[in-house]
Amino acid sequence: MGLVSAVDATRGLAHAWVEAGHDVVERPMSDGAAELVESVRHARGGELVPVVVRAGVSDPDEQVPAALLHVPGRAGGTAYVETSAALGWDEAGTRAAARLVREGTTEPVADLVVAAMETGAARVVVGLGESAVHDGGIGLLRRLGVLLGVPGGLAAVETLRQRLRHVQIDVAAATDRPLLGLHGAGAALAQFPGVGPAVAQEAERRVGEVVDQVLSRSRPDGGSAPTLTSRPRPVVRPTRDPGTGAGGGAAFALAVLGGRILPGAEVVAAEAALPELAGEADLVVTGCTTLDGTAMHTGVVAAAGQAAMAHGVPVVAVGEQVQVSRRDGARVGVSATYPIRDAPARGLGGQPAPPPADPWDDIVRRGERIRRTWAL
């Protein structure tokens, strides 16, 4: 939640309840982008595997550590990977977006997928979110061919599908943007600083041309492309299907190879057994940085609300900013929303008073107020 990790935010909201003697189950959450690995690890344990990959740009010397978790289980268990750092978008969002649009590549995602497979996992969960990288997943496909010894470049897509058939790849998508189109990941590039509509349009055109080649070769007989997601809706054009634009199009490439694109928050909720735990609770407290329409549609708050709503359990949501009405929350089972910090009092000369230096204190205080209001 902002500068506070999901684990710390969860602990802060639970603090007052624990101190008052309530039974509390803490489950940090992620929408599939940042903190996917730590959220799953908190719920299920597992082994962190150190991985270093290049940072999603053309400079091979620019490398970053990436998160990979292996949870043992039947048939090799499951491996979880995060890609935000690998795609060149650090936590502070300080990397030049224009450079990522020009030079960015999804190649590092291939390195992470192969590293996950090397743990022996039969299932690989790949967390993908918004990204200024936008190559349509072409870099991933080419790099995967090199790593798996499959020559032929984009012409070898069907061979790659066969090589990966023994591994279930699930994309935990933090965004439902399609790869192409008016509301797709390409068009969304214009929102990044220094990019603009012209650069975004050129990136869209470039990716569209190459993706057409991939789709035409994704079946040896040249037939129709596979259904790219498990969502119960018809696919008119694969590049316009929800979630294919996640991770600069890495989601599209993984789906072409046989993977499933799933809502990231719902994936994490399932891994954390949230639907089952909600049935045993009297209250669910959740939150995210900004409580807006996205949070109430595909984000962590929506996943928590839907899990609790199935059992008739009330949900309270908190955020640094609250931009939704009570009606918006009610649609996903949220009974009340609160800002982490109340509107600041006016200081001398009518100026706002400076906010507290430690966001942890804000979270703990809000948790205490929620306890006093909602404790049974």
Side-chain angles (χ1 to χ4, degrees):
M1 194 176 294
L3 298 177
V4 179
S5 71
V7 171
D8 287 341
T10 301
R11 187 177 300 121
L13 288 170
H15 179 77
W17 297 84
V18 173
E19 290 292 302
H22 294 272
D23 292 329
V24 179
V25 178
E26 298 179 22
R27 283 293 183 268
M29 285 285 290
S30 165
D31 61 3
E35 301 190 80
L36 164 69
V37 161
E38 195 54 40
S39 295
V40 174
R41 182 170 176 249
H42 191 276
R44 301 192 56 194
E47 177 189 3
L48 289 174
V49 180
V51 182
V52 176
V53 297
R54 101 178 189 193
V57 290
S58 58
D59 183 357
D61 296 325
E62 188 170 354
Q63 296 185 322
V64 294
L68 191 162
L69 174 72
H70 179 229
V71 178
R74 228 172 29 173
T78 302
Y80 306 82
V81 296
E82 286 179 29
T83 62
S84 55
L87 290 176
W89 200 254
D90 60 21
E91 291 182 0
T94 56
R95 296 186 184 277
R99 181 191 178 198
L100 290 174
V101 174
R102 293 192 308 269
E103 306 176 15
T105 174
T106 54
E107 286 184 12
V109 181
D111 290 86
L112 285 171
V113 169
V114 170
M117 292 168 56
E118 288 174 348
T119 67
R123 175 177 174 243
V124 176
V125 177
V126 184
L128 295 171
E130 298 271 9
S131 177
V133 172
H134 188 67
D135 71 354
I138 306 308
L140 185 159
L141 292 172
R142 287 173 172 155
R143 176 65 174 163
L144 202 57
V146 171
L147 295 174
L148 298 182
V150 177
L154 298 182
V157 170
E158 185 59 28
T159 304
L160 283 173
R161 279 176 61 90
Q162 294 303 313
R163 289 289 298 273
L164 295 174
R165 68 185 183 278
H166 64 287
V167 180
Q168 174 62 56
I169 298 178
D170 287 341
V171 173
T175 171
D176 62 358
R177 288 192 188 278
L179 178 60
L180 302 175
L182 185 61
H183 302 290
L189 294 174
Q191 71 185 346
F192 291 111
V195 178
V199 174
Q201 187 174 21
E202 172 58 24
E204 171 100 345
R205 183 199 61 77
R206 185 175 64 247
V207 167
E209 290 179 353
V210 183
V211 162
D212 283 343
Q213 299 177 38
V214 173
L215 291 176
S216 67
R217 295 165 176 171
S218 61
R219 290 289 179 87
D221 58 1
S224 60
T227 298
L228 297 188
T229 75
S230 63
R231 298 170 190 251
R233 63 182 297 277
V235 178
V236 179
R237 294 183 62 185
T239 55
R240 309 298 172 95
D241 206 46
T244 50
F252 167 79
L254 291 172
V256 166
L257 295 176
R260 301 184 299 176
I261 301 176
L262 305 169
E266 293 181 17
V267 170
V268 178
E271 300 299 319
L274 193 61
E276 294 80 8
L277 290 171
E280 302 171 1
D282 296 315
L283 177 71
V284 172
V285 181
T286 186
C288 60
T289 302
T290 302
L291 289 174
D292 57 9
T294 299
M296 297 297 181
H297 176 56
T298 58
V300 164
V301 174
Q306 289 163 358
M309 189 163 52
H311 303 282
V313 176
V315 177
V316 170
V318 300
E320 292 181 11
Q321 300 179 52
V322 178
Q323 301 175 359
V324 292
S325 66
R326 174 171 295 191
R327 179 180 298 178
D328 295 325
R331 293 191 181 100
V332 291
V334 175
S335 302
T337 58
Y338 300 98
I340 286 294
R341 181 189 306 134
D342 290 326
R346 309 303 287 184
L348 294 176
Q351 295 299 315
D358 189 352
W360 164 266
D361 292 338
D362 293 330
I363 293 172
V364 171
R365 278 194 290 268
R366 177 54 70 189
E368 169 60 22
R369 292 174 187 173
I370 292 172
R371 186 196 69 81
R372 291 200 302 261
T373 302
W374 289 87
L376 302 178

